[in-house]
Each structure stands twice: as C-alpha cells, then as structure tokens.
Amino acid sequence: MNTPLPPAEELALIDRELAQLDARRLYLLSRRDWLLRLLLQPGSGPAPVRWGPAVSGVPAGPAGTPGTSKEASAPSAQNVLLTLGAVLLAVAALAFTLVSWGSMGIAGRSAVLAAVTAAALGAPLLLLRRGLRSTAESVAAVGLLLTVLDAYALHAVGMPDVNGTGYAAGAAAVLATAWAAYGSGLRTLRLPLPAAVSAAQFALPLAALAVRPGPQALGWALLATAALDAALALRVRWAAIPAAVSAAGALLIGVAQSWSAGSAAAAVAPAALLLAGAALGVAGAWREPRASAAALVGALAAVAGLGGVVRPVLDPAWTVLAHLLLALPLLAAVRVPALPAAVRRGSARAGAAVAALAALSAGAAAATALVARLRVLGEVWAATTPDREPYGPGAAVVLILLIAAGAARWTGRALSRPEPTVVAVVLAWAGLFTAPVLLGFPVGAVFAAQLAVAGAAGVLALRSPERGVRIAAAVCALVGAANVSLGALDGRTATFAVWGLLGVGCAAGAAYGPAPRPVRSGAAVCAVGYATGVLVAAGAVSDLAVAWWALPVLAVPALVAALGPRLGEVRLPVEIAAAVAGVLALGLSAGRAGTLALVPALAGVVCAGAAVRPERRVLGWAAGALLAAATWVRLAEAGVSAPEAYTLPVTVPALVVGLLRRRRDPQASSWTAYGPGLAATLLPSLLAAWGDPGWMRPLLLGVAALVVTLLGARRRLQAPLLLGGAVLAAVAVHELAPYVVQVAGALPRWVPPALAGLLLLAVGATYERRLRDARRLRAAIGRLR
C-alpha cells in the first residue's frame, strides 16, 4: 500500500473523487427518472433538453420547463389534487342526481347521468396524457361504477316491468362488452379489462336463472362461463382464476344433484354436467402444461358422474367398488406416453385419490370385523360365537381391498417406487384376513384361513428383500396372529389348536437362518409367548388351583436355559421372554404359601443352571436371591421367629469358602467372596430386628454390623464395609425413630420446615465442595475390593 503521495494529500484526493462519483450518480438517477416520465406520455416524441452543469447533475425539464428535483417521480401535489377533484366531482354528481332526481324530467335525468358518466370515463384520457396514470386508474374506476348505477337507474325508471334477473343478465353482458371496449381503447389502464371479465361472469348464470330457474340450468351456465374463461386464459393468464371459480360452482352443483338423485334416470343429467366439466378440465390440461390440477379435478368429476348413475341401485359398499373400478383406468394413464404430461399426472393422481378413499372405506369395515372379536374377553371359553357370521356387503369390502392392493402394486412397479408396494401388502393382508369373516364362513374355516394368511405374511416378512415390505408384513403377521389368538379364546379346542400352530410357526420362523435378525427375534419371542400361553391354558383345563399353574409355566425358562448357546442370534430376546414367563409363574404362585416357596426354589435352580455358563454368571445372583426367598417363605410359613438359628450355619461356611477363594485369587471381588455369606445373616436379622420390640436383638445386630464394618475398613473390602455400614445405619434409625418422633411432636410445627430449609441452604452454599467430596468417596469405595 505504499504510494508516492503524502497521506494527507492522498486522503484529499480520495475525498474529491468520491464527491465526483456521488455527483455523477445523482445526475444519472435524475436523467433516468426524466426518461421514464417521457416514455409514459402517449404520443409524445423526444423533446429537446437543456442540461446544466455536470457537477450538479440536475437536468432541465422538457421543452424548456424549469428543472425538477428527484421527488418528481413520487405522487406530487398536482396528482393528489386531481384525484380528489375527480372523486369529489363524482360524489357531487351522485348527490345531485339523488337529491334532485324527483324535480327533473326524463331528459334532465338522462342528461345528468350521461354527463357525469362521460366526464368520469373521459377524464382518464386527459390524465394519461399528463402522465398521471394512478389518477387515471382511480377516475376510471369511478366511471365504471357510474355505468353500473346508470344501468340500475335505467331499469328503475325506464323499464320497471322488465324481469329483474333477465335485465341484470343483459346489463352484465352490455357492461362487460362496454368495459372491454373501453379497456381496449385505453390499454394503459389495467382495471377495465379485469372488470369486464368479472362482469361477464354473471351474464350467462343470470340469464339461465331468468329463463329456467333451477340448479341444473345454473350449473350448465356456470360451466359455459368457465369454458369461455378458459379460452381467454390461453391468452391472458389471470383469466384462469374466474374459470376455476365458475367451474368449481358448476361441479359442486353436479355433485350435489348426483348425490340427491333418487333413481338412475334422475342421475343422468347431473352426470352429463360432470362429464362436460371433466372434458373441460382435460382440455385445459391438454393445452396448458402447468394445468395438471385441471386434469385432476376433471378426472374426479368423471368418476363422480359415472358412479352417481349406479349409486341409486347399489348398496353403499358396492357403490364404492363401482367408483374404484371407474378410477382404475385413470391410474393406467401414467403409462400412456401419447397423453400430455399434465393430463397423465392429473389423471393418475385422481385415480390414486379415489382408490385411497375406497380403501379407507373398506378398511373401516375390515377394522370393525377385527375389533368385534374383543367381545370374547367378556367370557373366555364360553363358545358364544355363532357357527357362521351374518352375511352382509362383505364381498364388496373384500373386493375393494384386493383390487386396491393390486392397483397399488401395479403403481409401484410403474413408478419404480417402494411405498405403493408397502401399501399393497397391507391392503392385501386386510382383504384376505377379513374375507372369511365378512363372507360368513364357518368358524373352523375362518380360523384355518386366517392362520394361513398370518403365516403367509410371516413368510413374506422372513423372505422379502425390501425393508419396507418386511416391516409391513411383520406388522400384519403380528396383528393377524394376535387377532386370531383372541378369537380362539371362545373355545378350549380352538385355543390349543390355534395357539399351538402359531407357536410352531413362530418357532420355525425363528429358526430360518437367512431371515433378518430382528424378524427372527420377534418370531422367537412370539414362540415363547405362545408356549407360555398353551401351558397356562393346560393348567386351566386341569382344574387345579391357579397357584399350581406356575409349575408347568416354569418349564419355559427351564427349556430356554437348557438350550442356551444353541439359540444363536435370538438367544438374548428369547431369554428375556423366558424371564417374563418366570415372573408370571411367580405371580401365579402367590396365592398359596406352599407353592410360593416351591416356585421360587425351582426358579432359583433354573437360574443356577444357566449361571454355569461363563457368559451368564450374573444369573447366579438371581439364583441366590430366589433360593433365599424360597427359604424364608418356608420359614415364615413355619412360624420361625429366630432366623439366626438358620442363617448362621450357612453364613460361617460361606465366609470360610470366601476366605479360601480370596487366598487363592487375591483379585476376586469381596462381593463374590463374602457378599452372599454376610447377606444371608445380616439382612434376615435386620428384618427381624425392625419387628422386634425388645432391645437385645438390635443391640447384638448393631455390634455385629459394627465389627463387620470395621473389618471391611481395615482390610479395604467393599462388601463388608457397605453391608455392615448399611445394616448399622438401619439399626440406628430403628432405635432412634421413637425418640425422633417424640421430639418432632414436641417441637412447634414451623421448626421442621425451618430446619429443612437451613439444611438445604447449607448444602447449596457448599454444593461444589460436597460434590467433590462425594466423588472422592465414590473413588475411594471403587478402589476397594
């Protein structure tokens, strides 16, 4: 950035150059503004210009007029005054006409109206020559409004006996023609032509109502108006808006008339109107590549018109089927290259919309048939289901679902999209699964068919290469299996047959190696669930008490524990499902003390057998807990009040075994070596101490817990330290609780909240330090063995 000039001189040079640039920019902006105003004057040629100094940049006005400033492009005071003058003139003329109308003759009235209207319509010509376009638009709007008032006044005074609707139709046509001619003469004005098109919208509808009152004639008139607007829209794009509004009115009238027709003959006329509207929409899309919405509406109108003819003679379900069949050719339009793109898109979307609505209608009926099986839960094994379901419009529902599924599948292939194929899977399953019920098959045939459909969905979920299809098929198989299982609860034989077959099928699916892991895992979990359900049903059939049903249920986790690694990838979900079955067994055994002790013991044996494998050693804790629980349930049933007599003989050898293991393996955890032995005595004694009103047991337990805690601290062993400390704290709380309650009762009620608040404030004030202390304590405990 080195320059030969001193900094002060260079800065002055830059300032001068910036000033010159600003002056040049102002000059160019002024020149551009003057040129724009010159071009807006109609018929005016270029005028001589005198320019002042280049530095000022202010051009002289045209034809030697004084120079204007930059603000000349904004609405000036002259424009505002002209606008106000024109409006006030129109208001004065209207007031004069209204107030003095009765004192004037026909000629005077006509002269006043003609003069005011002519002045309002002629003023824009002069205003445009002065370049006052906005003012001209305002005055022209007043003039157009005056022509409407002229037409009304002419009918009220000169032709009072003429039919009002017919006169309004003729006036709309005349005004539209006059305004169009006026706008064509003054092309600079933007208002007259749209106003003419708007007025033309009323001519044919009003004429139709005057000649033949009724919705049918009005619909045809609106459709004819829409056709004229569409023709105009090919040259003037904004004319598509009134075309769409008029066509929508005609189609709504046609749909309403078609739905209210009481016979096929009465529906022919509305159908003709709808078909004509469809032809208009397709024709518009044929000429305009961006008008696919017109083809969409037209195709829907055609389906509604043709379907409306058969509606009065068919049941609602069959009427939906008829509409679906009419929509299928529209879907096929997507594969017809001879059609314009807008027509193809619009027709295909219309077909898809009709098919979707039909599928939703049929799906509601199918869902009702599925939900109806919930009534079985009111009384299981009551055999209340009739031999046959009542026949209804079920065939139509089934056909709709299957045809819609086929259409979705074809659309997916035509468009190379996976989503329609997923929809096809769901619709096909719904149609096939509910078909036996909707068609009134015998109960046995219903179960057989639904089991086959659920199995087919499961096979598709196992073998399909498409992820979306796999998920949809798996969900359908799960819903189908749950529904048919629910229906099977109506009879004992059906329950065992259906649940057994579903369990075998799920087990086969879980064993199918090439299938994705999530699908196989789901099938394996379902297999465990069905096995558990069959065993519960077997217990119910045996007329045994509910508590004894737990014994056969325990066979499920026992079998899973025996299989172990042979389950492969589905091992973890199967073991979780088996654990749920074990929890169910424990719940079933709760009604009787004998089984409540036996079932946890057997469950503990199962967990102990599974814990033999190195990867499932954690189940050893569950086994110990279950066996201890079984022991204490048995002791409680026998009325034992001194648990130490039973726990100490177990604790002493357990601690000796733990000590030997620690000597052989110094890295072994203290929880593994001493945890079970200490817990076997400390925890039962603690429970007994809390219910003992004497002082001897808590004292001895507290001393023992203190000794264990001190030994754990001295030997740096985690299990004795934490177990002994926790038991010691619990004993202390038990002994101090009555005194704390007594003191709390003697204190005023405001003292405990105040103490709690002070404690919170103290902890909050030293929060960071307490947090560091807690972390150090956790680290210290973690370093213990």
Side-chain angles (χ1 to χ4, degrees):
M1 298 298 291
N2 296 326
T3 59
L5 297 176
E9 295 182 7
E10 184 179 3
L11 180 61
L13 177 61
I14 292 175
D15 289 339
R16 286 195 299 270
E17 290 180 355
L18 289 176
Q20 292 177 2
L21 289 175
D22 291 338
R24 181 62 177 173
R25 183 175 183 275
L26 180 62
Y27 159 72
L28 293 175
L29 288 174
S30 301
R31 174 67 176 172
R32 179 180 180 276
D33 178 67
W34 180 81
L35 291 174
L36 288 175
R37 288 189 285 108
L38 181 64
L39 293 175
L40 290 177
Q41 295 180 4
S44 61
V49 182
R50 292 198 308 268
W51 297 100
V55 175
S56 64
V58 181
T65 58
T68 58
S69 66
K70 182 181 178 181
E71 296 178 358
S73 60
S76 61
Q78 184 181 13
N79 292 2
V80 175
L81 291 176
L82 288 173
T83 303
L84 291 176
V87 173
L88 291 176
L89 179 61
V91 173
L94 290 176
F96 174 77
T97 302
L98 295 175
V99 174
S100 304
W101 190 263
S103 61
M104 299 176 62
I106 297 297
R109 299 172 187 176
S110 302
V112 170
L113 288 173
V116 173
T117 304
L121 294 177
L125 181 61
L126 300 177
L127 294 172
L128 289 174
R129 290 180 179 177
R130 300 291 302 272
L132 305 175
R133 179 175 176 178
S134 299
T135 306
E137 293 280 3
S138 302
V139 177
V142 175
L144 298 180
L145 176 60
L146 287 175
T147 57
V148 177
L149 297 177
D150 291 342
Y152 171 75
L154 180 61
H155 176 265
V157 177
M159 293 178 280
D161 298 331
V162 178
N163 179 267
T165 305
Y167 178 82
V174 172
L175 289 175
T177 304
W179 292 354
Y182 181 71
S184 300
L186 298 177
R187 293 185 176 274
T188 308
L189 297 178
R190 292 174 292 184
L191 181 62
L193 289 179
V197 174
S198 300
Q201 305 303 307
F202 300 95
L204 290 178
L206 292 176
L209 292 177
V211 175
R212 188 177 180 180
Q216 196 68 28
L218 178 60
W220 282 105
L222 287 172
L223 190 60
T225 304
L228 295 175
D229 293 336
L232 179 62
L234 297 177
R235 301 185 60 185
V236 183
R237 185 168 298 173
W238 52 260
I241 297 176
V245 174
S246 299
L251 295 178
L252 288 177
I253 291 174
V255 171
Q257 291 294 304
S258 178
W259 284 355
S260 61
S263 63
V268 172
L273 176 61
L274 291 173
L275 290 176
L280 177 61
V282 173
W286 203 289
R287 294 292 302 273
E288 176 57 49
R290 291 172 292 183
S292 60
L296 169 64
V297 175
L300 292 176
V303 172
L306 295 176
V309 176
V310 299
R311 182 196 57 80
V313 298
L314 295 176
D315 290 332
W318 292 100
T319 301
V320 175
L321 178 60
H323 284 78
L324 176 59
L325 294 176
L326 291 171
L328 293 181
L330 299 177
L331 284 172
V334 74
R335 297 295 295 270
V336 182
L339 296 176
V343 177
R344 289 201 307 271
R345 289 195 303 268
S347 300
R349 290 170 182 171
V354 174
L357 292 176
L360 288 176
S361 174
T368 302
L370 295 178
V371 174
R373 279 182 165 167
L374 291 175
R375 67 179 184 270
V376 175
L377 297 177
E379 193 173 0
V380 178
W381 289 356
T384 56
T385 302
D387 293 338
R388 290 178 179 271
E389 297 287 344
Y391 181 80
V397 173
V398 175
L399 289 175
I400 290 171
L401 291 173
L402 295 181
I403 293 174
R409 177 59 175 160
W410 183 89
T411 304
R413 287 185 174 181
L415 300 178
S416 298
R417 299 283 298 178
E419 294 85 359
T421 304
V422 174
V423 175
V425 170
V426 176
L427 293 177
W429 170 84
L432 295 174
F433 189 81
T434 58
V437 178
L438 295 174
L439 297 178
F441 284 11
V443 175
V446 169
F447 284 144
Q450 291 185 337
L451 284 173
V453 174
V459 171
L460 182 61
L462 292 170
R463 307 192 56 152
S464 176
E466 299 179 10
R467 182 173 180 272
V469 173
R470 274 201 314 271
I471 295 175
V475 172
C476 290
L478 182 61
V479 174
N483 189 262
V484 72
S485 301
L486 185 64
L489 288 174
D490 194 54
R492 298 187 178 187
T493 304
T495 299
F496 285 101
V498 171
W499 288 18
L501 290 174
L502 287 174
V504 172
C506 291
Y512 184 66
R517 180 178 179 180
V519 178
R520 294 178 56 212
S521 299
V525 170
C526 290
V528 174
Y530 279 114
T532 305
V534 169
L535 292 174
V536 172
V541 171
S542 65
D543 294 332
L544 295 174
V546 175
W548 292 104
W549 298 1
L551 296 178
V553 172
L554 278 178
V556 174
L559 178 61
V560 171
L563 293 176
R566 282 176 286 183
L567 295 173
E569 294 181 343
V570 300
R571 180 182 181 183
L572 181 60
V574 169
E575 289 179 342
I576 294 174
V580 174
V583 173
L584 175 62
L586 294 175
L588 291 173
S589 67
R592 187 172 178 178
T595 55
L596 185 59
L598 177 60
V599 171
L602 295 177
V605 172
V606 172
C607 291
V612 173
R613 298 187 176 94
E615 68 276 8
R616 292 294 182 265
R617 289 287 172 80
V618 68
L619 293 177
W621 292 97
L626 288 170
L627 292 174
T631 302
W632 287 112
V633 168
R634 179 63 67 185
L635 292 176
E637 182 185 5
V640 173
S641 59
E644 292 81 5
Y646 299 91
T647 59
L648 287 176
V650 176
T651 297
V652 173
L655 292 178
V656 172
V657 171
L659 180 61
L660 295 177
R661 180 175 181 181
R662 286 275 299 175
R663 287 182 177 179
R664 187 173 54 199
D665 183 13
Q667 300 300 322
S669 172
S670 62
W671 287 101
T672 304
Y674 305 120
L678 293 175
T681 294
L682 292 178
L683 297 182
S685 298
L686 179 62
L687 294 176
W690 271 77
D692 191 349
W695 59 273
M696 183 61 68
R697 186 192 301 273
L699 176 61
L700 295 177
L701 179 61
V703 171
L706 178 60
V707 172
V708 171
T709 304
L710 294 176
L711 289 175
R714 180 178 177 82
R715 299 292 183 180
R716 302 182 60 81
L717 299 176
Q718 192 178 100
L721 177 64
L722 295 182
L723 281 175
V727 172
L728 181 61
V731 171
V733 170
H734 174 266
E735 294 302 310
L736 293 177
Y739 302 100
V740 172
V741 172
Q742 183 178 0
V743 172
L747 291 175
R749 294 187 176 181
W750 58 268
V751 173
L755 294 177
L758 291 175
L759 177 62
L760 292 177
L761 288 176
V763 173
T766 59
Y767 176 76
E768 294 295 336
R769 189 175 64 185
R770 302 305 175 199
L771 187 60
R772 288 193 298 268
D773 294 341
R775 289 173 179 171
R776 285 197 296 268
L777 178 61
R778 184 181 65 180
I781 294 176
R783 288 192 295 269
L784 302 179
R785 298 302 299 172

